[in-house]
Amino acid sequence: EAQVTQNPRYLITVTGKKLTVTCSQNMNHEYMSWYRQDPGLGLRQIYYSMNVEVTDKGDVPEGYKVSRKEKRNFPLILESPSPNQTSLYFCASSRTGLGGYGYTFGSGTRLTVV
Amino acid sequence: AQTVTQSQPEMSVQEAETVTLSCTYDTSESDYYLFWYKQPPSRQMILVIRQEAYKQQNATENRFSVNFQKAAKSFSLKISDSQLGDAAMYFCAYRSSNYGGSQGNLIFGKGTKLSVKP
C-alpha cells in the first residue's frame, strides 16, 4: 500500500531533550515536507526537500533540523524542544516538487513538550 | 508571496443538504493548482478535489464540486447531499506550477470546521 509512515503518533517529552520524528514513504517520491498544525493557524511548513541531499527552510524552521540522506526517509529533529513546539506534526510527500501533484500525508505526530 | 484565506472558521449543515465552503487566494502567477483537503477527527489529511488553473471547467468528484473563479481568485467547495461522515476540518490549498517563490510547496488556508446535523 502506498503510504507515508510517521512515528511516533504521540510523544510527550521534556524541555531540552533531543528527539526525532521519523518519516518514510514507499512511493519513490522526490519531494517531502514537514508541516506543523496549530489551532487557528492552519498548516505551516517547517522544512521541505526537493530530492536527496536537497533541503530548504519553510515558513517556521526555527528550532528544527532535517536531513534527506535517502529518498524514502525525511526525519524531523528537535535538538532542544521547547513548549512552543507543542503541536501536531505532519510529514507529506509528492511525486515531484512541481506540478499539480497533491501531497500524500502521514498520520501525524502529536507532540507535547512540558 | 501567495496567500490562502478561508473566511469561515465554522460552518454547519443539515444532513442531506448542500453546503458551500469559501476560499480565496492571492497570487500573481497565472499557472497553479488548487486543492481541498479534508481532515476528519482521525486527523488524517485526505485529498478531496483538485483544480488546474488553466482549465476553465470546474472539477467534480462525486458529491464534491468546486466553483473556480480565476479572475476573482475564488475557489469554493460545494458538498451536496451532506452526510455525517463529511463532518471534518476542510483546508483549501494552493500550489505553484513552477519554481516560483513557493518552490512548489502547498500553501494552506486556516481551515473551516464543518459540522453535519442529523
Side-chain angles (χ1 to χ4, degrees), chain A residues 16-35:
Chain A
K17 185 177 181 182
K18 180 179 178 180
L19 67 91
T20 299
V21 184
T22 63
C23 175
S24 180
Q25 51 93 4
N26 62 0
M27 297 165 282
N28 202 37
H29 284 174
E30 291 183 355
Y31 180 94
M32 297 185 76
S33 183
W34 278 102
Y35 284 82

Side-chain angles (χ1 to χ4, degrees), chain A residues 31 35 37 100-101 103 108, chain B residues 37 39 43 50 95 105-106:
Chain A
Y31 180 94
Y35 284 82
Q37 182 182 0
Y101 302 106
Y103 285 10
Chain B
Y37 278 87
Q39 186 182 42
R43 82 189 189 202
R50 167 184 172 274
R95 190 175 200 187
N105 302 323
L106 264 183

Side-chain angles (χ1 to χ4, degrees), chain A residues 4 9 14 16 32 34 47 51 53 64 67 69 95 112:
Chain A
V4 176
R9 270 182 72 82
V14 296
M32 297 185 76
W34 278 102
Y47 269 95
N51 214 324
E53 302 290 3
Y64 304 95
S67 66
K69 296 182 177 137
R95 188 178 295 183
T112 302

